[in-house]
Amino acid sequence: MAIGPVQLIVLGFERPDFHGQVIAELERLRETDTVRVIDSLAVYKDADGNVEVEHLSNLTQDEAIELGSKVGALVGLGIDGEEGAEAVALAGAEAAADGIQAFSEEDAWDVIGEIPNDSAAALILLEHHWAVPLRDAIADAGGFRIGDGFISPLDLIAIGLVTAEEAEQLHAMETGAVGAAH
């Protein structure tokens, strides 16, 4: 297969500057070919929960609609407003009619619902290009993915990978507690 394992990462921000450090790091990741950024969106939620979507790239609006609506399709957002949302719904309905069920109601992840009001999130769809040879070797050996997930730094204390102090710092950084103190 030509594509590596794909992961959706959702990062929350109180006061985002998506066009500074985040964009620069996304560009660096693209250049290394270790992790390929398939798509990335900024989702802004106002105090009333109204949502605005913006691409985190230098694509034109037309290119974003044509090439970069993968995250929007995954989470049910149309990058092209109401017309784009209808296209996403239609594509999902066609896939279901073909017997393809992306995920069940129990497995559904309400990405947009988890973004707090009056904040923003970066939704980044990554291909782990480095994992292609490993994935292929596992498949050749008859192996398959059963599950995956990030491990909390707090859980790493028990196995001696980090100290309690390091874990607290990492946990605060990952959960936004560091940003709240600024």
Side-chain angles (χ1 to χ4, degrees), residues 77-89:
L77 286 173
I79 193 68
D80 192 20
E82 190 174 317
E83 194 174 297
E86 288 174 13
V88 167

Side-chain angles (χ1 to χ4, degrees), residues 32-132:
T32 65
D33 201 35
T34 301
V35 176
R36 182 172 66 118
V37 178
I38 296 170
D39 189 21
S40 54
L41 295 178
V43 178
Y44 300 91
K45 240 186 188 182
D46 68 17
D48 296 324
N50 298 313
V51 174
E52 283 186 41
V53 179
E54 176 183 334
H55 255 278
L56 291 178
S57 72
N58 52 11
L59 297 176
T60 67
Q61 179 75 6
D62 289 341
E63 289 170 327
I65 292 166
E66 180 183 346
L67 302 172
S69 59
K70 306 303 184 215
V71 171
L74 277 174
V75 301
L77 286 173
I79 193 68
D80 192 20
E82 190 174 317
E83 194 174 297
E86 288 174 13
V88 167
L90 181 59
E94 287 173 2
D98 290 339
I100 300 169
Q101 174 93 21
F103 41 120
S104 68
E105 288 297 320
E106 300 87 49
D107 294 334
W109 177 21
D110 185 5
V111 173
I112 304 306
E114 288 187 12
I115 300 169
N117 287 357
D118 204 22
S119 72
L123 284 64
I124 304 169
L125 192 63
L126 297 175
E127 173 198 7
H128 292 276
H129 192 72
W130 64 269
V132 172

Side-chain angles (χ1 to χ4, degrees), residues 170-178:
L170 290 169
H171 180 71
M173 189 175 11
E174 288 181 3
T175 61
V178 171

